[in-house]
């Protein structure tokens, strides 16, 4: 945190509202934002509070974060557009991730576009992990689609009761779902510029995601060359940790970064696999939203975000 930001007065703070503050992500987001010296939280409500989009927008705040289920953001966006069109909106749902009028909010890959933007679509949690795991090799993946095996904690299914967040259903179990229709599959494909296959599963742990990406190359590749690509891509990214060993999902719980590691290459150099872990509630949602707010509102990108202690590097 810069000295200038520490010295900020209350009058210099940016006013902020959160719609959807009672969900798993909303609670994490509210804690981060309340601890952020540059933000003054004026509104923190849930849909269950009965507040209308017009009532939320009437606060005319500098920024709003919409932590709502898919399909619920549009009335709030419309109301904010009427009340104060220059307000920054960060939407955590999938509603605007495919809208070219909105900036896709992944700082590692689109930092310049996010800075100063007013409409930001926060990436999905699986998508964040997979795009960072595959991004350094994106130009090599157009020959054949990579396959991504994903496992998420049940917090990713939200608070509405379902089989995917029922501890009894999940006990001693692994539950596959949306194997050909997951919205993050389309999101990852759009962002990487090539088709991918995503195979999502829910596990009996509460938080965290592991994705294992398997890819085939048209021409043989050396492991050292692929490692160099990852080092070059993330050399200046404090919230991407590279390591030799495959990361464990239990080690990422409660953390604000993505860990990528376990790169393996077949003896013929045509097949490679890599693993990434992320906390779906934090780096996959709330932490990324705070970074997007920082960029949009002129604060240092990682202000208010605890940085990791790096492991043995790749």
């Amino acid at each position: 945190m810069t000295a200038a930001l520490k010295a900020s007065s209350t009058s210099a703070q940016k006013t902020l509202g959160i719609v959807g503050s009672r969900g798993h992500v909303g609670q994490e987001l509210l804690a981060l934002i309340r601890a952020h010296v540059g933000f003054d939280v004026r509104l923190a409500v849930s849909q269950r509070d009965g507040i209308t989009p017009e009532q939320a927008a009437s606060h005319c705040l500098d920024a709003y974060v919409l932590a709502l289920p898919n399909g619920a953001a549009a009335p709030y966006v419309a109301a904010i557009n009427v009340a104060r069109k220059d307000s920054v909106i960060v939407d955590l749902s999938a509603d605007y991730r495919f809208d070219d009028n909105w900036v896709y909010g992944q700082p590692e890959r689109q930092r310049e576009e996010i800075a100063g933007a007013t409409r930001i679509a926060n990436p999905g949690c699986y998508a964040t992990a997979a795009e960072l795991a595959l991004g350094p090799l994106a130009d090599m993946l157009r020959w054949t689609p990579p396959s991504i095996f994903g496992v998420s904690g049940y917090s990713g299914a939200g608070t509405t009761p379902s089989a995917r967040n029922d501890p009894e259903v999940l006990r001693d179990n692994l539950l596959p779902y949306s194997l050909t229709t997951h919205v993050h599959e389309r999101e990852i494909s759009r962002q990487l510029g090539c088709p991918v296959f995503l195979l999502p599963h829910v596990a009996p742990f509460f938080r965290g995601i592991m994705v294992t990406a398997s890819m085939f190359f048209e021409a043989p590749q050396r492991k050292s060359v692929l490692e160099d690509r990852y080092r070059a891509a993330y050399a200046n990214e404090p919230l991407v940790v590279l390591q030799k060993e495959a990361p464990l999902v239990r080690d990422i719980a409660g953390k604000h970064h993505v860990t990528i590691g376990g790169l393996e290459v077949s003896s013929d150099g045509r097949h490679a696999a890599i693993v990434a872990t992320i906390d779906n509630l934090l780096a996959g949602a709330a932490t990324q939203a705070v970074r997007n707010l920082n960029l949009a509102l002129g604060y240092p990108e990682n202000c208010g975000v605890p940085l990791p202690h790096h492991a043995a590097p790749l």
Side-chain angles (χ1 to χ4, degrees):
M1 190 182 304
T2 67
L5 191 54
K6 286 182 180 178
S8 294
S9 65
T10 302
S11 62
Q13 290 180 317
K14 300 295 186 180
T15 57
L16 193 79
I18 303 172
V19 181
S21 60
R22 289 190 192 174
H24 295 316
V25 170
Q27 292 176 48
E28 299 285 358
L29 180 64
L30 187 57
L32 282 171
I33 286 176
R34 281 181 168 162
H36 192 300
V37 70
F39 295 147
D40 176 14
V41 180
R42 299 281 184 88
L43 178 73
V45 295
S46 165
Q47 283 187 302
R48 287 173 285 176
D49 295 326
I51 188 170
T52 67
E54 290 73 20
Q55 288 171 327
S58 68
H59 291 259
C60 293
L61 304 175
D62 294 314
Y64 292 84
V65 183
L66 306 180
L68 298 168
N70 292 344
Y76 293 91
V77 172
I80 295 166
N81 282 340
V82 172
R84 183 176 168 183
K85 195 168 186 177
D86 67 337
S87 293
V88 170
I89 304 176
V90 177
D91 179 40
L92 273 68
S93 77
D95 293 6
Y96 295 99
R97 293 177 194 154
F98 304 93
D99 188 331
D100 289 336
N101 295 312
W102 286 60
V103 174
Y104 188 73
Q106 191 173 90
E108 287 83 3
R109 303 181 71 236
Q110 289 170 283
R111 184 169 284 120
E112 293 181 3
E113 292 86 349
I114 300 166
T118 60
R119 300 293 181 268
I120 302 168
N122 221 61
C125 48
Y126 276 124
T128 298
E131 288 161 20
L132 292 175
L134 292 173
L137 308 181
D139 63 314
M140 303 166 67
L141 304 178
R142 297 182 177 92
W143 180 63
T144 188
S147 180
I148 303 161
F149 181 83
V151 181
S152 172
Y154 62 85
S155 60
T159 56
T160 301
S162 73
R164 289 191 284 124
N165 56 20
D166 185 334
E168 284 305 306
V169 173
L170 294 172
R171 183 162 53 90
D172 300 325
N173 202 8
L174 190 64
L175 185 66
Y177 70 102
S178 301
L179 296 178
T180 62
T181 59
H182 201 293
V183 66
H184 290 181
E185 180 178 273
R186 187 159 59 98
E187 180 182 346
I188 298 163
S189 298
R190 175 181 169 92
Q191 294 301 319
L192 293 182
C194 64
V196 303
F197 298 130
L198 174 63
L199 304 170
H201 297 69
V202 182
F205 53 84
F206 179 68
R207 63 195 301 156
I209 279 178
M210 174 180 283
V211 296
T212 301
S214 177
M215 66 208 93
F216 292 88
F217 306 121
E218 187 173 14
Q221 302 295 325
R222 296 198 308 274
K223 183 177 180 179
S224 61
V225 172
L226 301 183
E227 288 176 335
D228 286 344
R229 280 196 173 221
Y230 281 92
R231 292 191 194 99
Y234 299 127
N236 299 311
E237 298 294 348
L239 289 172
V240 178
V241 174
L242 302 177
Q243 63 181 48
K244 289 283 187 184
E245 300 300 319
L248 302 178
V249 72
R250 69 184 180 193
D251 294 337
I252 204 68
K255 305 294 175 57
H256 300 269
H257 63 278
V258 177
T259 302
I260 301 171
L263 176 66
E264 293 191 13
V265 180
S266 62
S267 58
D268 65 0
R270 299 287 301 279
H271 175 213
I274 196 160
V275 179
T277 57
I278 189 172
D279 187 310
N280 55 303
L281 303 179
L282 290 172
T287 303
Q288 198 157 216
V290 170
R291 296 171 69 200
N292 285 325
L293 286 169
N294 283 335
L295 286 167
L297 295 169
Y299 293 126
E301 179 184 321
N302 294 324
C303 180
V305 177
L307 299 182
H309 299 291
H310 284 61
L314 183 69

